[in-house]
Amino acid sequence: MVDTDAPVITLIGGSPLTLGEGEDFTDPGAFATDNIDGNVESNEGSISYQLIVSADEKEDVTEISTDSLAEYEAIYQFEDSAGNTSSMSRRIIVAPPEGEIIDIIKDGAKGATWDAPITAYDQDLNWNSCEAPGGCPNIDWEFVNDSDPDSDGLIRGDVLEVTHAETERLAGVIIASTTGVNLRSATKGFLKFDLKIIEGGPSVTFKTDCGHPCAGVDQFHTVSELNKWETVIVPISSVRQGGLDLGNIKAALVINGTDVQIDDTLTRFRLDNVSFDCRADTCAGEETPVVLVDWAATHEDSSDPVDTTLTSYPGYTLAWSDEFDGDTVNTDNWGFDIGNGDNGWGNGELEYYREDNASVEDGLLIIEATEACSSQ
């Protein structure tokens, strides 16, 4: 028999692994089994480490240092007697000592901070919110009993299960507070949750939100295996990059299956132990009052005459302009993004963008919205 199957690797302990700054580190390791050899022995070169410098850059290192805050990747590689190899990685995060924990989902219930009912957004409702059971066309959720032992032999008990229908229409679950929650001291902390995808695509998209137009950046996670619990840890510094106001968090978690628009299949996943780990004595930072702009001090008097013939100002040089001198839009300067709702922008709006709606008259660009018939 020709052995063409690579060994199957199992990590010892969880991934990712979070260490406190200055904490001693011993790699918990991994083991592998092979369909021919049985247990596969590790060797001196079976573990290697990389320092994660950025999303696009990693550096080879000889060991994990907990002297300063950092993020590493440990790579475990095994080879069977036939020469088949396989590898698996584990994230190792060196973080400040654990601080206040704000539970989002714990022991089959929402954390007390997130007092709003669990809702969802649904594309078939023009992205408006809806509630379970049965109130959303494409998504449903409930707390269910997860009785299968996880990799540590633990039985989870009640967890949140989310089911997305067989459709390409987008929908996602929202766990929120009726008032803004202050997490300003959580900048070195993490959003953490345990995830098990039961069926459908292997990926989820999620973020933390502070109410439109204030929002965090979409995060993505792909599980290594269906029907297996994995811990997801994302630095809050990554979540807030889109302009998230940590002093006014409205939605702790907004989450949906990533692959519904690709393969149009039923997606079902479960969530447990969802929390903010603030890595500080307290999550709440100082309340920073809003400072209103002094309009009179920072803007010209609107009653002053404006010289429209000027092409430069002291310290400034004109880089580009279009004075709309002709009678048509200059397509060397301007382009038209044509699309409507689902066919183009995917935002469900009953709008259609056309070149015919733009014109030039008396030195002005005119963009005109017109009512048209729709089959929707």
Side-chain angles (χ1 to χ4, degrees), residues 190-341:
F190 303 95
L191 170 63
K192 304 167 62 174
F193 58 91
D194 294 340
L195 170 70
K196 179 166 73 171
I197 297 183
I198 299 172
E199 57 184 316
S203 303
V204 293
T205 302
F206 59 95
K207 67 179 178 180
T208 295
D209 209 335
C210 46
H212 181 77
C214 167
V217 171
D218 280 344
Q219 308 292 315
F220 306 93
H221 182 80
T222 300
V223 297
S224 59
E225 184 179 335
L226 295 184
N227 278 302
K228 180 180 178 181
W229 284 102
E230 291 187 13
T231 300
V232 181
I233 298 180
V234 178
I236 290 177
S237 58
S238 297
V239 176
R240 69 178 301 200
Q241 287 178 357
L244 184 71
D245 179 5
L246 288 179
N248 189 33
I249 298 299
K250 297 292 181 61
L253 183 69
V254 182
I255 188 167
N256 61 272
T258 303
D259 305 279
V260 294
Q261 285 193 307
I262 300 172
D263 51 22
D264 193 18
T265 60
L266 179 76
T267 298
R268 187 157 54 102
F269 59 89
R270 293 179 177 179
L271 298 170
D272 191 25
N273 296 329
V274 187
S275 67
F276 289 116
D277 178 352
C278 294
R279 294 283 161 175
D281 292 336
T282 177
C283 290
E286 295 182 2
E287 295 289 349
T288 305
V290 176
V291 179
L292 298 178
V293 173
D294 185 346
W295 188 268
T298 57
H299 293 74
E300 296 177 354
D301 188 343
S302 61
S303 63
D304 291 342
V306 177
D307 187 350
T308 59
T309 65
L310 292 177
T311 58
S312 66
Y313 294 86
Y316 293 87
T317 301
L318 180 65
W320 178 88
S321 70
D322 188 339
E323 306 305 326
F324 304 107
D325 294 327
D327 54 10
T328 59
V329 176
N330 184 349
T331 54
D332 290 336
N333 293 342
W334 305 95
F336 296 88
D337 291 333
I338 306 300
N340 73 318

Side-chain angles (χ1 to χ4, degrees), residues 83-147:
N84 302 305
T85 62
S86 59
S87 63
M88 180 174 285
S89 63
R90 163 192 273 128
R91 285 176 63 212
I92 300 173
I93 301 170
V94 183
E98 187 175 274
E100 181 183 359
I101 304 294
I102 297 184
D103 290 323
I104 302 171
I105 294 290
K106 182 76 171 179
D107 298 329
K110 292 189 291 90
T113 304
W114 314 101
D115 58 342
I118 298 178
T119 60
Y121 65 86
D122 197 304
Q123 187 174 358
D124 277 344
L125 296 178
N126 290 325
W127 307 102
N128 290 319
S129 63
C130 50
E131 297 186 24
C136 306
N138 299 308
I139 198 166
D140 209 348
W141 61 94
E142 62 178 331
F143 286 99
V144 301
N145 186 268
D146 190 289
S147 58

Side-chain angles (χ1 to χ4, degrees), residues 3-192:
D3 182 7
T4 59
D5 294 329
V8 177
I9 301 176
T10 300
L11 297 178
I12 300 172
S15 177
L17 183 65
T18 306
L19 305 172
E21 192 173 4
E23 180 181 337
D24 292 336
F25 169 67
T26 301
D27 198 314
F31 65 89
T33 57
D34 182 69
N35 60 346
I36 302 297
D37 299 340
N39 293 331
V40 179
E41 297 294 329
S42 61
N43 55 54
E44 187 175 341
S46 63
I47 302 178
S48 60
Y49 301 112
Q50 291 185 320
L51 171 65
I52 301 176
V53 179
S54 67
D56 303 316
E57 184 181 357
K58 299 178 182 178
E59 293 180 0
D60 292 331
V61 295
T62 57
E63 62 182 11
I64 302 295
S65 171
T66 63
D67 292 342
S68 59
L69 307 182
E71 187 173 352
Y72 296 89
E73 187 174 59
I75 301 98
Y76 307 90
Q77 183 165 309
F78 290 82
E79 183 176 353
D80 64 17
S81 60
N84 302 305
T85 62
S86 59
S87 63
M88 180 174 285
S89 63
R90 163 192 273 128
R91 285 176 63 212
I92 300 173
I93 301 170
V94 183
E98 187 175 274
E100 181 183 359
I101 304 294
I102 297 184
D103 290 323
I104 302 171
I105 294 290
K106 182 76 171 179
D107 298 329
K110 292 189 291 90
T113 304
W114 314 101
D115 58 342
I118 298 178
T119 60
Y121 65 86
D122 197 304
Q123 187 174 358
D124 277 344
L125 296 178
N126 290 325
W127 307 102
N128 290 319
S129 63
C130 50
E131 297 186 24
C136 306
N138 299 308
I139 198 166
D140 209 348
W141 61 94
E142 62 178 331
F143 286 99
V144 301
N145 186 268
D146 190 289
S147 58
D148 296 328
D150 61 18
S151 58
D152 295 324
L154 300 176
I155 295 178
R156 296 275 172 159
D158 288 343
V159 298
L160 181 65
E161 181 174 283
V162 178
T163 303
H164 191 286
E166 294 184 38
T167 175
E168 295 181 358
R169 311 293 277 179
L170 286 178
V173 167
I174 305 169
I175 302 172
S177 170
T178 55
T179 58
V181 177
N182 184 359
L183 298 179
R184 283 202 173 102
S185 288
T187 52
K188 293 184 178 179
F190 303 95
L191 170 63
K192 304 167 62 174

